[in-house]
Amino acid sequence: MSLTGISEKIVVEPYYFQNNIPGAPNDCYLREGAVKRLLKAVHFLPVDHYFIVFDAWRPYKVQLALYRQFEKQLQLKGLAGNELKKELTKYVDRPSEDPMRPSNHLTGGAIDLTIANKHGPLNMGSKFDEFTEMSRTDYFEQIKNPSPLDREIKG
């Protein structure tokens, strides 16, 4: 189901299409159940906030391109073998055409988004698709001596 136009509080900005990833759709799609949960989440946003959706369902070709692109970045940093695989799968699902073990985004049940207000996207501590420890969901909760900016990001 297309996310374009489903709510005034959901802005669709298909990141991979806008960045010329071959095969990336010029829209964002989710399964019906995921759309219902997203629309429910909208009601928890403060009045002046909204979601920006960068990606949701993606074709196998796009998943494979993202996987290979990050794999090359890691290889250039000198990673190989099990160390490479471990770091790679922290951030990018292994592409799979096996219907019994699909990559998360290939099912239409995963979404990449951020929260924004009239000033733009909120500072989440890392950029979209920044594959670093700062992208972990618990990164800012684990900082022992957070800076004022760390505390602001943690919210």
Side-chain angles (χ1 to χ4, degrees), residues 59-78:
Y60 173 81
K61 179 179 180 179
V62 174
Q63 185 67 30
L64 182 61
L66 297 174
Y67 187 87
R68 286 184 175 160
Q69 183 179 357
F70 187 46
E71 183 177 42
K72 285 179 186 175
Q73 290 174 12
L74 293 174
Q75 288 170 335
L76 289 173
K77 291 181 178 180

Side-chain angles (χ1 to χ4, degrees), residues 29-136:
Y29 302 93
L30 283 177
R31 291 190 310 243
E32 185 178 347
V35 169
K36 288 178 183 178
R37 288 186 292 281
L38 178 63
L39 289 171
K40 188 175 182 180
V42 162
H43 296 291
F44 293 100
L45 290 170
V47 173
D48 59 342
H49 287 67
Y50 58 96
F51 289 131
I52 300 175
V53 178
F54 298 119
D55 185 46
W57 168 82
R58 66 177 72 125
Y60 173 81
K61 179 179 180 179
V62 174
Q63 185 67 30
L64 182 61
L66 297 174
Y67 187 87
R68 286 184 175 160
Q69 183 179 357
F70 187 46
E71 183 177 42
K72 285 179 186 175
Q73 290 174 12
L74 293 174
Q75 288 170 335
L76 289 173
K77 291 181 178 180
L79 280 95
N82 287 337
E83 186 180 12
L84 171 67
K85 286 181 183 178
K86 182 179 176 185
E87 190 67 16
L88 181 57
T89 56
K90 276 186 193 177
Y91 302 103
V92 181
D93 270 350
R94 182 177 175 87
S96 172
E97 292 183 291
D98 180 349
M100 301 308 290
R101 295 179 181 269
S103 305
N104 289 322
H105 279 279
L106 272 62
T107 69
I111 188 168
D112 295 336
L113 58 76
T114 194
I115 302 170
N117 62 23
K118 65 182 178 181
H119 303 293
L122 303 183
N123 186 348
M124 299 291 178
S126 65
K127 296 176 183 168
F128 176 68
D129 269 5
E130 180 180 320
F131 302 133
T132 67
E133 292 295 310
M134 288 180 66
S135 296
R136 287 192 355 250

